[in-house]
């Protein structure tokens, strides 16, 4: 595959992995909604501290190294490295995005909310 095609695919996968701001589903019955919105905003800021983009870059680097090594053995180092970079980047992005969701949910639970998801 061409390098430009691989770069495009990696970028698309990285962006897909970053689903945005996590928003836990909370049972709001009997909840002060002004306080709820303030708490949710604060928890989302905490969750945003999880570095999804950095995780994607690290995962892509590790994946490229592993894929390149496997590809070198099988006779296609460049293709193996590209495939490894895409796989590693996407996997790391998904993992870090889930971590971001976990942080938001734990924050809201810690503030006494009943998180449903």
């Amino acid at each position: 595959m061409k390098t430009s095609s691989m770069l495009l695919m990696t970028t698309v996968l990285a962006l897909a992995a970053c689903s945005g701001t996590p928003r836990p589903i909370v049972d709001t019955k009997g909840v002060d909604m002004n306080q709820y919105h303030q708490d949710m905003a604060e928890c989302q800021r905490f969750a945003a501290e999880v570095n999804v983009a950095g995780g994607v870059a690290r995962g892509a680097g590790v994946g490229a190294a592993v894929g390149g090594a496997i590809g070198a053995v099988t006779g296609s180092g460049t293709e193996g490295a590209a495939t490894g970079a895409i796989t590693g980047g996407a996997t790391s992005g998904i993992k870090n995005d889930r971590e971001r969701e976990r942080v938001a949910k734990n924050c809201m639970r810690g503030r006494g909310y009943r998180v449903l998801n």
Side-chain angles (χ1 to χ4, degrees), residues 5 7 12 17 23 36 45 56 91 107 112:
S5 297
L7 180 59
V12 169
R23 188 162 186 86
Y36 165 80
R45 281 193 296 273
V56 169
T91 301
C107 179

Side-chain angles (χ1 to χ4, degrees), residues 4-83:
S4 60
S5 297
M6 297 308 296
L7 180 59
L8 177 62
M9 286 175 36
T10 302
T11 303
V12 169
L13 285 171
L15 291 173
C18 305
S19 68
T21 307
R23 188 162 186 86
I25 299 171
V26 174
D27 181 356
T28 57
K29 184 173 182 171
V31 170
D32 174 352
M33 291 308 289
N34 290 326
Q35 185 64 48
Y36 165 80
H37 290 297
Q38 180 181 342
D39 288 338
M40 180 67 79
E42 289 174 4
C43 289
Q44 287 175 332
R45 281 193 296 273
F46 289 132
E49 292 181 24
V50 175
N51 187 356
V52 174
V56 169
R58 281 190 302 280
V62 171
V66 171
I70 292 170
V73 171
T74 63
S76 182
T78 304
E79 205 168 295
T83 302

